[in-house]
Amino acid sequence: MHVQLLRLSPRVLREPKSFTGERFPVERNRSYFVVNENKQQQQQKRGETPTMSSTRPNLAVQIAVQWVAWALSAGMTIFLLPFLILFWLWSALTDYSDTVKKKDKSNSKRSLVSRGLGTSQFVQLKDVSIHYIAAGDRSRPLMLCLHGFPEFWFSWRHQLEEFSSTHWVVAVDLRGYGDSDKPNGRNAYKMDKLVGDVCQIIDILGNGKCDVLLAHDWGAGIAWELVIRHPQLVRQFVPMNCPHPAAFVEVISTEFSQICKSWYMIFFQLPIVPELLLTAFGASLFCWVFQRPGLEPKDAKAYLDLYQRPSDLTGPINYYRSMIDPDTMGQPGKKVKVPTLLIWGGEDRFLNISMAHQSAKWAENFTLGLIPEASHWVQQDAPRSVNQKIRAFLKKGNL
């Protein structure tokens, strides 16, 4: 369940930090307000009406937008609560509740790695430590895999096995997920920071170059932004069930069915409530999300084990909370220059397929690979078809 709605770059309303996490000198911030205060005092002495600081209207707009989002979220929660209660009762009767057990995460991770999926490692970025699973020879070209919501590196298990013979395949846990660091606050999940993480990963693990970038759902939303802003870092791009950002905005602005499908993005704006509801109904809701043909119970359980407590979901949900920012509303889209293969499962319950077709006009070298029988979780539902399409795309790019 996805997706990047709008690229974000907030106004700094408190003491700023540098990209490395170091604080700027406090005096630098104070001087701005002292100058404005002196200016207002001089205007009062001359009998003029003091002018407001230019930051105040922006703050007012941001507060207004946030209150509107909360109001919509609260109304939606009140409307949906009876259905959630009925859903919980139904799940109790159908005995979903025994699918989640208390389990040590480190044991779960070791059991997954012991299945031959790869080696568990960490890479230290400027402000977070990122966990990843690597398969193949490190001397080979880098194939970087970015997962979506609410997943972790394990969603790329089929690609780790398939492409380790030709690439060094690295599947990461994005910040806030799995065994990666989980920064506090929604501002830690702004798009600039998410793109910055991937840039650093490519710089450290790939010496500044990613041969193939595989990405799904939220991971693909970040990856679209990466190839738009930094096309020199990626040679070939394969997003899955996530459209170009401009295509998403265009479709959600014109198709009512997509607005209805995206209701959860508004619901996730509420503080605390989504985490409490999702963990209270834990097994029921997540089984409903992941239950589909091709997903074995032991694989579904790997996901369910990650979300035992409300705090386990705060980081992932903060991706959605960070989308509300008036500074980026209505920004024009930019074309992608990197060769792109968009793989799309035709049975996606969350995104209209028109988004896939609209994305074609936002990439200069674009291929659409439809898999009609697959759901939103396309690389897990139809791994053979997905891998074949990727192989053909890579072969075409190497000609």
Side-chain angles (χ1 to χ4, degrees):
M1 295 187 292
H2 148 254
V3 62
Q4 178 210 349
L5 181 60
L6 295 167
R7 184 164 60 86
L8 309 170
S9 56
R11 306 283 187 189
V12 179
L13 300 177
R14 55 182 176 269
E15 183 178 338
K17 294 182 180 180
S18 69
F19 186 72
T20 60
E22 299 177 353
R23 292 185 179 275
F24 290 123
V26 176
E27 288 76 10
R28 179 177 176 180
N29 299 322
R30 289 175 178 169
S31 62
Y32 172 81
F33 298 101
V34 170
V35 169
N36 278 277
E37 184 179 356
N38 292 337
K39 182 178 179 181
Q40 292 176 5
Q41 291 175 354
Q42 292 174 3
Q43 289 175 330
Q44 288 177 340
K45 290 179 180 179
R46 294 196 301 264
E48 300 175 0
T49 301
T51 57
M52 299 294 290
S53 171
S54 60
T55 61
R56 195 159 299 179
N58 292 334
L59 175 60
V61 171
Q62 289 183 338
I63 293 174
V65 170
Q66 187 62 69
W67 274 104
V68 169
W70 282 344
L72 292 173
S73 302
M76 184 172 295
T77 302
I78 294 172
F79 174 76
L80 291 175
L81 191 57
F83 298 97
L84 289 172
I85 294 174
L86 291 175
F87 186 79
W88 177 79
L89 292 173
W90 170 80
S91 67
L93 294 174
T94 52
D95 198 28
Y96 274 97
S97 57
D98 63 354
T99 59
V100 175
K101 296 179 181 179
K102 296 285 185 180
K103 186 176 181 180
D104 184 76
K105 290 183 180 180
S106 61
N107 291 335
S108 174
K109 182 177 67 176
R110 285 198 295 269
S111 67
L112 292 175
V113 175
S114 67
R115 291 163 58 174
L117 294 173
T119 59
S120 175
Q121 301 181 50
F122 290 83
V123 56
Q124 181 62 50
L125 308 184
K126 291 184 177 180
D127 60 343
V128 291
S129 177
I130 297 295
H131 172 254
Y132 66 93
I133 297 294
D137 191 335
R138 185 160 187 169
S139 64
R140 296 177 179 140
L142 173 64
M143 176 181 282
L144 182 62
C145 307
L146 309 179
H147 65 81
F149 174 90
E151 302 178 282
F152 66 122
W153 68 263
F154 187 60
S155 62
W156 297 106
R157 58 195 178 280
H158 301 294
Q159 288 66 45
L160 283 162
E161 183 177 5
E162 171 68 21
F163 295 101
S164 60
S165 60
T166 57
H167 289 77
W168 186 45
V169 188
V170 172
V172 304
D173 289 337
L174 296 172
R175 66 162 62 200
Y177 284 89
D179 290 321
S180 292
D181 285 348
K182 301 169 176 60
N184 294 322
R186 67 178 188 178
N187 286 337
Y189 300 88
K190 295 288 189 181
M191 184 55 68
D192 287 345
K193 289 186 175 291
L194 303 177
V195 173
D197 286 351
V198 182
C199 288
Q200 293 175 68
I201 291 170
I202 293 175
D203 185 53
I204 297 171
L205 301 184
N207 293 321
K209 192 67 176 181
C210 176
D211 188 65
V212 185
L213 180 58
L214 305 184
H216 172 254
D217 187 78
W218 249 107
I222 299 168
W224 277 108
E225 283 292 338
L226 175 72
V227 296
I228 289 171
R229 302 182 191 187
H230 309 285
Q232 75 281 1
L233 297 180
V234 179
R235 193 172 76 88
Q236 296 175 101
F237 176 41
V238 185
M240 303 181 193
N241 279 75
C242 176
H244 185 286
F248 179 84
V249 172
E250 182 176 352
V251 171
I252 201 172
S253 301
T254 57
E255 298 183 17
F256 181 72
S257 60
Q258 183 57 58
I259 297 176
C260 295
K261 290 179 180 180
S262 301
W263 64 269
Y264 60 91
M265 296 183 187
I266 299 297
F267 170 63
F268 283 165
Q269 300 307 312
L270 282 175
I272 303 174
V273 176
E275 291 96 316
L276 293 175
L277 287 178
L278 287 174
T279 51
F281 303 116
S284 308
L285 293 179
F286 279 105
C287 277
W288 176 76
V289 169
F290 289 112
Q291 188 180 37
R292 59 194 186 277
L295 186 66
E296 298 180 7
K298 62 179 181 179
D299 292 336
K301 191 174 185 302
Y303 293 102
L304 297 172
D305 283 342
L306 287 181
Y307 304 107
Q308 300 281 342
R309 301 163 298 179
S311 59
D312 296 332
L313 275 166
T314 298
I317 292 177
N318 276 341
Y319 279 64
Y320 292 92
R321 291 176 177 139
S322 70
M323 296 190 309
I324 303 298
D325 195 319
D327 289 341
T328 58
M329 293 181 178
Q331 288 192 354
K334 295 182 179 179
K335 280 194 173 185
V336 172
K337 298 179 180 179
V338 178
T340 301
L341 166 65
L342 174 58
I343 296 178
W344 199 277
E347 295 297 322
D348 194 324
R349 295 180 297 178
F350 309 106
L351 299 172
N352 288 350
I353 197 171
S354 57
M355 291 185 173
H357 297 292
Q358 290 289 345
S359 296
K361 65 183 182 181
W362 293 104
E364 295 180 359
N365 186 348
F366 181 86
T367 303
L368 178 59
L370 291 176
I371 303 180
E373 71 278 8
S375 74
H376 178 74
W377 325 96
V378 60
Q379 82 274 28
Q380 301 179 72
D381 285 359
R384 180 175 298 180
S385 297
V386 167
N387 292 344
Q388 288 175 349
K389 290 184 182 298
I390 295 174
R391 284 285 186 199
F393 177 66
L394 299 184
K395 183 178 180 180
K396 178 182 177 183
N398 291 325
L399 293 178

